[in-house]
Every structure is written in structure tokens, then in C-alpha cells.
């Protein structure tokens, strides 16, 4: 099957770069007894890939209405090729986005081929029938955008729990949470008390059609992190590493990126290539506007250091969006203060002025905007002295996106353990590669037609971490 694939002229020019995926094949070698081979360091590989729903793949640039979904031979052949590559790489974890859940034939093909190769598969469609559509002939395409498929290789992990996160109130997007445990301990001479488990999230955030949707996208990530926080607390899993995979529809310049970084997550690709937060060399997507950008991430978080309370990070990210909208209106710091205080004769901002300004910035009074409670919470963060108005110094908390770290009462329950350290299980990023390889240099190859996204695969090695008891 692969031999015929390599000869396919459509991919003739990318075979050399795609063949560089070989180092990720069989990253966990086993002897016949089932134990790790001494010739290979035990590692975990993870692939995330937006496979492009057939309804969105245009076959004729002159006639934009000619879509792949109308031609079974085309969408089936392309998806067969996608599965060929996925099986060739044999990643321990596979996270797919824009999976065509509504097409039974395609679903069965993926489930049967992945299942026969040792994977457990989990699929999830968008809520409220979003993405459902009909073509010119009146035929229903089914669930199209934002649909997910996650596959876990049974040789490496057993699935302990599977949860579905439904964002009915924020763009009808979805996310999958999988709690998995290694079949064979990654670390030899392991302390029986050390959990060798991972939490994996697969998601696809809303596309930022306009800047007012920044709040929706931030809401989606906030809900994921809230759910993770609750799940970890209820199951006593605070020391378990977390991987967030998917199409984030936003680059390293965006608010979602900064929000996740403030919560202790690192981009596996950037860590592997020693890029800083300001480096933007690589791309992973050519969108429907023809722009190329880097939007696909495999985020990793180990709990070996303290992070900001989630509510604080959320408020700072929201302040960042407010500042962005003010700057977009060509307002500098002083002008922004004057805009927020509106017609107020005093040199301060009232709560009413604050709410009116957010409405003008299209950040509230919309179905996807900031809620009344969220506006109130942001106000409380900015009004440090609690006198009901913001002076210029307090306004700077919005402009410079800073909040006071008010510690919740519940967070003090482990204060007596502060200073005590404990060994925990985590991961180090060994490598990460994008395919086709040209995108790593910021180039989108014209002869690449497998998707409008590049495939990202990261390799992780298990490590022992020393964590403070309080951070756990």
C-alpha cells in the first residue's frame, strides 16, 4: 500500500521530506517478553493533524463551489493516504481535527484501519448540529467542522477515563479529555506511589473571523483549563503531566498563546527547536484567506513549578484583549484612559463608563461577549483600593495586563506541606517535526495537497521531577 503511495505523482516532490518521519517510527521498542528493549530509550510520540473536512477542500480555484465532498473517489483517496501516513508513523497518541463524523463510510475506514493496528478510537461531533450543511443538490454533508478523533495505541496506554467537553455557549466547539496510564512503566525502579499517567486534550478552537471573537476563543480555552483543574482535583491528579493538542486557530502572537504560557504550558515544537515566544519562523496552516500561519500545537505542562491561579491568568488575558481593541482604534495609553472615562469630568473611570466602553469595543452585549459577572470581576481586579472608580494608576492594571494574585481559601489547604518535596512523573521534549518539512522554514509548498494544515509530531521522554508538595 505504501509503495503505491510513494509513487503517487501528487506527492512525488514531498516524499523525501515525509520520509524523514522514520525516526519517530517504533519509538518504543519492545522485546518478545513485552519489556522495553535496552537499545532504545522509552519515549512517547504524539501527532496532531487537522485533516481538512472535504466540504472545505476546493477542487477548482475558478469555481469555489466545487468541493471534494461531492466526489467520493477524491475524499476517500485523500483520507486513505492520511491514514497511510498515520500508521507509518505509528504515534502513541493521534489527535485529528475536522474529522467527518457525519460520513459513515469514512468513519468506518478510520476506525477499522486504526483499530486493526492496535488503536482505541474516540470521536466527537460539534454541538447543536453546527457545521451541518447541504450541497447544491440538497444532500446533507453531516457534521463537518470542529469534529474530533483521538486514537490511543493500546500497546503503550490504557484509557482510564474519557470525557467530552461541549462548548454550547461558546461557538459550539468541543474538546476531548482522555486520562491514560502507561501499559508498562516508563521509568525503571519506579516508586510504586508515582503515577505514570497522562491527561490528553484534543480540541479545535473557533477561527477568528473578526477580533471580537477573541473573547470566545479565550472562553473556550478557559473552560478547558477549568475542567482540567476540576478533574485533577477530584481525582487527585495534580502532579500528572498534561498534553493539549489540536488546531488552536491562533498564532504565537495571540492571546490564547499567552494565556496558556501563563498557565505553565510550553509549545513542544518551540522547545525542541529552542525558539522563544517571539520567534515566528514556522507555519502550519494556509487558511481560506491565503495567509500562512503557525496554529497547530502540542502543549505540554509538567507540575514541577508553581503557576498563577487560573482566574488571575484569565483576567490578565482579558485585559490584554481590551488593550488590543483600544490599540486597534489607534489609542495610546493616555487616549485610552480618556476613552474609558468618556464624558466624566473627573480624572477617573466609573464602572458605568467601563461597561459602556467594553460595549463599544464589541466585547460585551453579544451572545459570545463578556458576561455581566466577568465584567464585574475584571473591575474588581482593576479597582485595587475598592473605592468604586479607577484612577490613572489603577487604569494601568488594564493597560499593562496585571492583576493582584488573590489566593482562594481552598488553596491554603496544603500550606502545612510547603517545603516538602515529592517525586513526580513528567516529560521532557526530545524532538518535534512538522510535515511537510518546508513549513518549518515558513514556506508553504504548492505541491502539498494532503490538507491545508501541516502534521505535527512530537517525541517525549519520561523523566522524574522533584515537585514541592504545595505545587501538587
Amino acid at each position: 500500500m505504501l509503495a503505491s503511495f510513494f509513487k503517487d505523482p501528487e506527492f512525488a516532490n514531498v516524499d523525501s521530506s515525509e520520509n524523514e518521519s522514520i525516526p519517530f517510527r517504533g519509538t518504543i521498542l519492545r522485546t518478545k517478553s513485552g519489556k522495553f528493549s535496552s537499545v532504545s530509550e522509552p519515549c512517547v510520540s504524539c501527532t496532531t493533524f487537522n485533516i481538512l473536512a472535504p466540504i472545505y477542500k476546493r477542487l477548482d480555484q475558478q469555481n469555489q463551489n466545487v468541493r471534494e465532498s461531492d466526489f467520493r473517489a477524491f475524499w476517500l483517496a485523500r483520507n486513505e493516504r492520511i491514514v497511510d501516513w498515520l500508521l507509518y508513523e505509528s504515534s502513541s497518541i493521534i489527535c485529528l481535527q475536522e474529522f467527518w463524523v457525519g460520513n459513515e463510510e469514512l468513519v468506518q475506514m478510520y476506525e477499522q484501519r486504526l483499530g486493526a493496528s492496535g488503536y482505541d478510537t474516540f470521536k466527537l461531533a460539534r454541538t447543536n448540529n453546527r457545521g451541518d450543511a447541504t450541497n447544491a443538490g440538497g444532500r446533507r454533508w453531516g457534521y463537518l467542522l470542529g469534529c474530533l478523533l483521538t486514537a490511543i495505541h493500546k500497546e503503550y496506554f490504557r484509557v482510564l477515563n474519557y470525557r467530552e467537553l461541549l462548548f454550547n455557549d461558546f461557538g459550539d466547539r468541543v474538546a476531548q479529555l482522555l486520562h491514560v496510564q502507561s501499559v508498562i512503566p516508563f521509568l525503571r525502579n519506579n516508586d510504586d506511589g508515582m503515577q505514570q499517567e497522562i491527561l490528553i486534550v484534543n480540541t479545535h478552537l473557533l477561527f477568528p473571523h473578526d477580533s471580537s471573537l477573541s473573547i470566545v476563543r479565550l472562553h473556550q480555552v478557559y473552560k478547558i483549563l477549568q475542567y482540567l483543574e476540576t478533574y485533577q482535583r477530584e481525582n487527585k491528579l495534580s502532579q500528572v503531566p498534561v498534553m493539549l493538542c489540536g488546531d488552536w486557530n491562533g498564532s504565537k502572537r495571540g492571546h490564547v498563546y499567552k494565556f496558556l504560557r501563563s498557565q505553565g504550558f510550553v509549545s513542544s515544537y518551540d522547545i525542541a527547536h529552542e525558539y522563544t515566544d517571539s520567534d515566528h519562523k514556522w507555519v502550519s496552516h494556509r487558511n481560506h484567506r491565503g495567509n500562512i500561519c503557525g496554529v497547530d500545537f502540542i502543549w505540554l505542562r509538567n507540575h514541577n513549578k508553581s503557576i498563577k491561579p487560573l482566574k488571575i491568568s484569565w483576567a490578565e488575558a482579558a485585559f490584554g484583549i481590551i488593550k488590543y481593541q483600544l490599540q486597534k482604534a489607534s489609542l495610546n495609553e493616555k487616549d485610552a484612559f480618556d476613552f474609558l472615562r468618556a464624558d466624566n469630568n473627573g480624572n477617573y473611570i466609573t464602572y458605568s463608563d467601563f461597561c459602556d466602553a467594553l460595549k463599544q469595543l464589541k466585547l460585551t452585549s453579544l451572545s459570545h461577549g463578556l458576561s455581566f459577572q466577568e465584567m464585574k470581576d475584571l473591575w474588581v481586579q482593576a479597582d485595587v483600593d475598592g473605592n468604586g472608580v479607577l484612577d490613572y494608576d489603577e487604569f494601568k492594571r488594564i493597560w499593562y495586563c496585571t492583576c493582584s494574585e488573590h489566593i482562594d481559601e481552598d488553596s491554603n489547604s496544603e500550606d502545612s506541606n510547603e517545603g516538602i518535596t515529592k517525586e513526580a512523573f513528567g516529560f521532557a521534549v526530545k524532538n518535534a517535526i512538522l510535515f511537510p518539512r518546508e513549513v518549518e522554514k515558513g514556506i508553504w509548498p504548492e505541491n502539498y495537497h494532503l490538507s491545508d494544515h501541516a502534521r505535527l509530531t512530537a517525541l517525549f521522554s519520561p523523566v522524574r521531577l522533584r515537585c514541592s508538595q504545595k505545587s501538587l
Side-chain angles (χ1 to χ4, degrees):
M1 182 181 297
L2 280 174
S4 62
F5 178 45
F6 291 143
K7 295 177 182 178
D8 190 327
E10 183 178 6
F11 297 94
N13 294 326
V14 298
D15 283 346
S16 60
S17 62
E18 289 283 6
N19 279 336
E20 293 185 46
S21 63
I22 291 175
F24 284 154
R25 279 194 80 196
T27 53
I28 300 180
L29 300 182
R30 300 176 185 276
T31 63
K32 291 183 178 179
S33 64
K35 296 182 179 179
F36 291 117
S37 169
S38 60
V39 300
S40 177
E41 177 187 8
C43 291
V44 171
S45 53
C46 179
T47 294
T48 186
F49 191 20
N50 182 322
I51 59 177
L52 179 56
I55 178 57
Y56 293 108
K57 184 168 176 59
R58 297 173 174 85
L59 299 182
D60 187 346
Q61 294 302 316
Q62 301 301 318
N63 184 352
Q64 297 290 301
N65 292 322
V66 179
R67 306 295 177 97
E68 185 189 59
S69 52
D70 286 320
F71 301 90
R72 175 185 176 276
F74 286 16
W75 58 253
L76 186 59
R78 180 172 66 89
N79 280 274
E80 287 276 9
R81 293 187 182 105
I82 289 172
V83 178
D84 287 342
W85 281 121
L86 294 175
L87 296 181
Y88 182 66
E89 259 183 8
S90 301
S91 287
S92 319
I93 303 161
I94 298 173
C95 296
L96 305 180
Q97 303 85 44
E98 285 197 35
F99 180 64
W100 201 4
V101 174
N103 188 290
E104 185 176 347
E105 182 180 9
L106 191 73
V107 170
Q108 288 183 354
M109 186 271 288
Y110 272 86
E111 290 182 336
Q112 289 174 3
R113 292 193 61 191
L114 290 172
S117 296
Y119 287 92
D120 282 326
T121 58
F122 303 83
K123 63 181 184 294
L124 178 61
R126 285 182 68 180
T127 55
N128 295 329
N129 292 331
R130 289 297 296 271
D132 203 24
T134 56
N135 65 4
R139 187 168 70 253
R140 291 174 68 83
W141 277 313
Y143 299 109
L144 300 172
L145 182 61
C147 307
L148 309 172
L149 178 100
T150 302
I152 306 295
H153 205 295
K154 291 182 285 189
E155 284 189 11
Y156 308 145
F157 296 107
R158 63 174 62 90
V159 178
L160 302 179
N161 203 353
Y162 168 71
R163 298 286 181 87
E164 297 177 350
L165 286 68
L166 309 178
F167 305 148
N168 295 289
D169 50 347
F170 298 121
D172 293 300
R173 293 297 171 124
V174 293
Q176 296 172 299
L177 170 66
L178 290 92
H179 176 193
V180 303
Q181 182 182 54
S182 59
V183 173
I184 299 175
F186 292 118
L187 301 173
R188 297 189 179 107
N189 302 319
N190 178 47
D191 177 1
D192 291 338
M194 186 195 296
Q195 299 160 305
Q196 296 199 9
E197 302 172 14
I198 315 171
L199 293 179
I200 303 160
V201 174
N202 182 15
T203 194
H204 182 187
L205 297 190
L206 183 71
F207 183 84
H209 293 283
D210 62 71
S211 58
S212 69
L213 295 177
S214 296
I215 286 292
V216 187
R217 294 161 38 71
L218 201 62
H219 272 138
Q220 291 169 346
V221 179
Y222 187 39
K223 291 193 76 168
I224 289 173
L225 298 188
Q226 281 182 312
Y227 194 94
L228 272 169
E229 191 175 80
T230 300
Y231 185 86
Q232 290 178 280
R233 183 174 62 252
E234 291 177 348
N235 294 277
K236 297 180 174 58
L237 297 171
S238 58
Q239 73 273 29
V240 171
V242 178
M243 291 183 189
L244 303 182
C245 309
D247 174 6
W248 299 85
N249 261 323
S251 72
K252 295 174 66 175
R253 297 181 177 90
H255 304 289
V256 166
Y257 180 91
K258 295 173 183 175
F259 181 38
L260 287 169
R261 290 288 287 119
S262 74
Q263 280 294 293
F265 287 94
V266 296
S267 163
S268 58
Y269 184 85
D270 292 294
I271 290 296
H273 296 269
E274 299 182 345
Y275 290 155
T276 66
D277 287 345
S278 60
D279 286 328
H280 306 283
K281 295 182 177 67
W282 57 274
V283 298
S284 66
H285 176 41
R286 180 164 66 180
N287 64 31
H288 61 282
R289 296 171 178 169
N291 301 322
I292 57 174
C293 43
V295 301
D296 298 272
F297 291 87
I298 298 175
W299 294 94
L300 170 68
R301 182 172 72 184
N302 291 316
H303 281 265
N304 60 336
K305 61 179 180 179
S306 299
I307 59 175
K308 288 183 179 180
L310 181 56
K311 288 183 179 180
I312 298 298
S313 287
W314 152 259
E316 290 179 347
F319 283 161
I321 291 176
I322 294 171
K323 178 180 178 179
Y324 173 80
Q325 292 294 80
L326 291 167
Q327 290 180 320
K328 187 180 176 183
S330 301
L331 300 178
N332 59 27
E333 181 180 322
K334 181 63 170 63
D335 293 337
F337 179 75
D338 292 338
F339 170 75
L340 287 172
R341 70 184 182 91
D343 296 328
N344 189 342
N345 292 325
N347 196 33
Y348 54 80
I349 303 166
T350 67
Y351 179 63
S352 177
D353 294 335
F354 178 70
C355 294
D356 288 343
L358 294 188
K359 184 176 181 179
Q360 292 183 58
L361 295 172
K362 297 182 179 181
L363 295 177
T364 185
S365 298
L366 300 170
S367 60
H368 55 258
L370 290 166
S371 68
F372 172 80
Q373 186 59 52
E374 287 169 338
M375 286 192 295
K376 192 68 176 177
D377 291 343
L378 291 175
W379 177 263
V380 170
Q381 287 288 345
D383 184 15
V384 179
D385 59 17
N387 67 348
V389 296
L390 303 183
D391 59 27
Y392 197 85
D393 286 338
E394 289 174 319
F395 158 74
K396 289 182 178 180
R397 302 182 73 78
I398 296 175
W399 193 254
Y400 293 103
C401 311
T402 58
C403 296
S404 299
E405 294 202 18
H406 303 300
I407 305 300
D408 296 334
E409 292 181 5
D410 292 342
S411 66
N412 295 322
S413 59
E414 295 181 347
D415 282 356
S416 60
N417 293 320
E418 188 172 4
I420 299 175
T421 60
K422 181 179 179 181
E423 192 172 71
F425 169 71
F427 285 110
V429 179
K430 295 287 289 184
N431 203 354
I433 296 177
L434 283 160
F435 308 98
R437 297 300 296 275
E438 291 91 335
V439 302
E440 297 189 313
K441 301 177 182 178
I443 301 169
W444 191 264
E446 294 299 326
N447 59 347
Y448 174 69
H449 304 287
L450 204 59
S451 175
D452 59 352
H453 283 257
R455 188 172 75 254
L456 170 62
T457 297
L459 187 66
F460 304 93
S461 62
V463 294
R464 298 175 188 272
L465 302 172
R466 300 298 295 179
C467 305
S468 69
Q469 185 70 24
K470 187 175 181 179
S471 68
L472 296 174

